[in-house]
Each structure stands twice: as C-alpha cells, then as structure tokens.
Amino acid sequence: MKRRIIAAIISLILVGSLIGCSKDPSGTSGSSDTGSNRSASTDGDTILIGVSASKSGSAPVNGMRTEQGAQMAADEINAAGGVLGKKIKLYVADDGGTTDTAINAINLILSQNVVAQLGPNLSGLTLAIEQSMADAGVPFLTGATSPKLVTTIDNKYLFRVRASDSIQGQIAAKYITEDLKCKKIGFLTDSDDYGAGALEVASAYFDKQGVKWVSETFNSGDTDLTSQILNLQKAGVDGIIVWAHDTETALAARQFNDLGVQVPIVGSTSISTTQVLDLCEEDWLTNWYSVTDFTPTNPNEKVKAFVENFQKSYGGDKPELYASTYYSALYVLADAIKRAGSTDRNAIRDALAKTDGYEGVLATYTPNSKQEMVHQGIVCKIKGKEAVYGNTVTVEVEA
C-alpha cells in the first residue's frame, strides 16, 4: 500500500510537466530543456537515443529497470569505443504508464531530435504513440507484446524486441496441456490488449486441439479477484493460465492461495520478475510456472555475465525482464547504427530490418516481415521466490 501511495504522489507531481533526463556515461543527469541536449543528436561526439520508461504510475520499478538496463548497455558500448566513433547518450522521459503521459513523453523525446528510441514497454502505450513515431520517421524498439501491434497496424518504424503474446500464449497453452497434462483450462486475464491477446491465441490453440476451456477477466487496478477465482473453481478446471500485469499478478497469487486453489498455474512474464516475487509469500507460489523472456537463473554464459555486471553496477540487485529487454535492445540498435554507417534515421531503420541472428542477452534477434525480432520464450518453475530456468522454446512464425 505504501508503494502505491508513493507512486500516486509521484504521478500527480509529474503529470503537469514530464521531466526527461539524459544521463551521460559519467552518471550525471541533465535537465530536458538544456540547449546541449536539444542538439545532441547532431553533435559530432554523441548519438542521442530516446528512452520512454514508466518511472512513475502503478509500476515505477519497471521504468527504473528499463533505464538501468539501457544505461548499462550505453556505458559498456561507450567504454568499448562507442559507435561510429561517437558516444551514445540517452534521453529518458517518464511515460507514467498511461496513454496521456506516454503521448507527452513521446512529444518531449521527439523534440530532442533523437535518432531512435527504446520503449515504451506497455502495449496500450505503444499503440497510442506509434503513429507519432511513424510521422516523425523515428525507428523505435519496444517490448510491447500485443498481437495488435502487427495485426491492426502497419508501421515500418516499429520493431518488437520481445516475443509477442501470439508466441508466449502458444507456449503457455502447449506447456499446460502437453507437459502438465491439464484437460480443462481456466483463463484469468486482464481485459486490456495484453490479456486479451494472450487469451485469443491460447484459446484458439485449445479449440484446435479439442481442449475444454473457460475464461474470467478483470480490469487493471481491480483489488479483488475472488468472484473470478470462485467461478473457475466451480467450473472444475484442472489448470489455469493467468495473463496480468505486476500488481494484479501478485493479487491473484495471494487470492488463489487464500481460496485453496491447488491446480497448476501458468503465468505470464510478470510472475517471474523480482518486483512481483517480492510482493508474494513463498507459500502463494507453490503451483506457479511462468512463460517469460528472461530469468537470471538461465545458465547461458551471456546471461550469467550480464547478471554479474548488473549486480555490480546497481548495488547487488538482480536484473529482470525490463532491464534485460532494454539492455539487449540498445545493443541491437547500436549494431544497426554501425552497419548503417550513419545516424540517418531511415538508414538505421533499414539496418534494423536486416538484422540477422544477433545474439543478445534476452534472445537471438532476426526480424520477420512484420519487424518482430524475437521468436522464443522460456518456461520457468517458481521455486521459493525465484523463477528457475526450465527450457527455451522457439516457435515457428511467419517469415
């Protein structure tokens, strides 16, 4: 409760005037309206990249990790000589986790004449700002996962750097039936684009396989899921898929436990993140699994090095999904700028589209015709308060 109150106060303070900060490799921050920041993208020594991060609102930790991951990548790239002989500089704006503040943040970032952008991370925010990015001709890399980002819009400047819900939902559906042997599935999903996208994909898979399913939905910000959970129990489900954002995922874990639900539960990425696990008690998580993009327990050598360096950089904190997403995204972007041989936005866009098998911490990146760059996910078992790596699953997608 205290965290929510603090977040709400911060949001109220910032809603009238978003404050963007750029952070140079030395760790200093500058005001968003300084003349040097406005000209940085054309400065002979720097390449200015925007970052849209939810540093306030209902989940400010996500925005903090987004910035930390991107900044760590920038520091490493700059220490290795930069890109095209220039240093990368980030211009971070708080998108507040809502569409109104996200639009303000994008306008602020675009006013700085950035060459490209990372974020926003939420699907609803990305849908709200994608046309502005297209109009400005600025390539942007987003961790948003809604299928709508490729099924209802056509934006050549949008590059998805996480597996879409069409992939994650398919992995969840296959795992709960084939590995966990569940016969009747219950869905508990957010009613927004995030939850609806996963429900559509997973239920289509069940229909094709002849698996019975029922669904219950809720709205972001709901504080009681008792009626939905009781309905699932009454329906006699023997497995549940939960697709929710951070706060509601922790709420679901508590109330499943309170109501004595004993069936396997496969959650979205939220349940695997440190910030959600920290909100839960261990006994709430006995039956939980997660389909995610990243876990610090992954034995991959690149991941192990990233986790170690992140902890050294940020006081021992372990990295999670948002940090790893935008750490990797900045490396993908830097690789594209290098191959483009230019900071021209269209040249960068074209180079991003030609990325082929770039090995990052989060995934291997190869875009299809819809600029979806990631086609794999990780299945984890929640043990104690940690998402323990199980296996990596790659899904065949349209070229």
Side-chain angles (χ1 to χ4, degrees), residues 6-318:
I6 292 172
I9 292 172
I10 294 172
S11 182
L12 286 171
I13 292 171
L14 294 180
V15 73
S17 66
L18 280 166
I19 298 174
C21 290
S22 60
K23 186 176 179 183
D24 66 22
S26 67
T28 58
S29 296
S31 169
S32 63
D33 60 1
T34 61
S36 61
N37 283 345
R38 291 184 180 278
S39 61
S41 66
T42 56
D43 189 297
D45 298 325
T46 59
I47 298 173
L48 187 62
I49 295 169
V51 180
S52 175
S54 300
K55 297 177 67 176
S56 65
S58 62
V61 174
N62 298 352
M64 177 181 72
R65 296 300 187 211
T66 294
E67 181 177 11
Q68 287 175 335
Q71 187 60 53
M72 180 174 154
D75 292 345
E76 291 177 358
I77 292 167
N78 290 339
V83 181
L84 305 181
K86 305 174 188 290
K87 300 292 186 181
I88 290 177
K89 191 171 185 178
L90 303 181
Y91 186 92
V92 181
D94 179 11
D95 61 45
T98 68
T99 55
D100 288 343
T101 47
I103 291 169
N104 289 338
I106 293 311
N107 289 335
L108 183 59
I109 289 171
L110 292 178
S111 74
Q112 310 306 310
N113 195 28
V114 299
V115 302
Q117 178 179 295
L118 307 182
N121 192 72
L122 297 179
S123 296
L125 308 193
T126 304
L127 288 165
I129 63 90
E130 58 87 15
Q131 189 60 53
S132 295
M133 303 303 289
D135 291 343
V138 175
F140 69 112
L141 290 74
T142 174
T145 56
S146 171
K148 286 186 178 180
L149 292 170
V150 296
T151 59
T152 64
I153 64 174
D154 182 15
N155 187 334
K156 70 177 185 178
Y157 292 97
L158 187 160
F159 290 84
R160 197 205 301 269
V161 289
R162 282 183 57 206
S164 76
D165 289 329
S166 61
I167 291 174
Q168 301 279 27
Q170 183 177 337
I171 293 173
K174 291 182 68 175
Y175 190 78
I176 201 168
T177 53
E178 296 181 11
D179 292 79
L180 300 179
K181 307 300 181 183
C182 299
K183 304 297 184 184
K184 185 174 183 180
I185 313 302
F187 287 98
L188 181 63
T189 60
D190 198 305
S191 61
D192 67 1
D193 290 325
Y194 180 57
L199 174 59
E200 180 181 0
V201 170
S203 62
Y205 174 87
F206 292 141
D207 288 342
K208 186 176 181 180
Q209 299 298 319
V211 176
K212 296 179 180 179
W213 60 273
V214 296
S215 67
E216 293 288 331
T217 62
F218 58 87
N219 298 318
S220 297
D222 283 356
T223 58
D224 187 3
L225 306 176
T226 301
S227 63
Q228 290 95 327
I229 295 172
L230 289 174
N231 286 340
L232 293 177
Q233 286 182 304
K234 290 176 184 176
V237 301
D238 61 353
I240 298 171
I241 292 176
V242 176
W243 227 259
H245 299 294
D246 291 2
T247 303
E248 292 77 21
T249 298
L251 173 65
R254 176 172 65 81
Q255 294 194 320
F256 277 129
N257 181 73
D258 290 346
L259 295 170
V261 175
Q262 298 295 320
V263 304
I265 302 168
V266 178
S268 62
T269 57
S270 296
I271 194 62
S272 68
T273 62
T274 302
Q275 55 266 33
V276 173
L277 293 172
D278 284 346
L279 295 173
C280 298
E281 300 294 334
E282 286 191 24
D283 58 353
W284 302 354
L285 304 169
T286 304
N287 302 313
W288 279 79
Y289 299 80
S290 175
V291 177
T292 185
D293 308 77
F294 175 83
T295 175
T297 65
N298 190 330
N300 178 278
E301 291 301 322
K302 265 184 166 308
V303 174
K304 289 166 66 175
F306 166 65
V307 171
E308 181 180 349
N309 292 335
F310 188 93
Q311 290 183 295
K312 288 179 181 178
S313 298
Y314 297 110
D317 288 348
K318 284 187 177 180

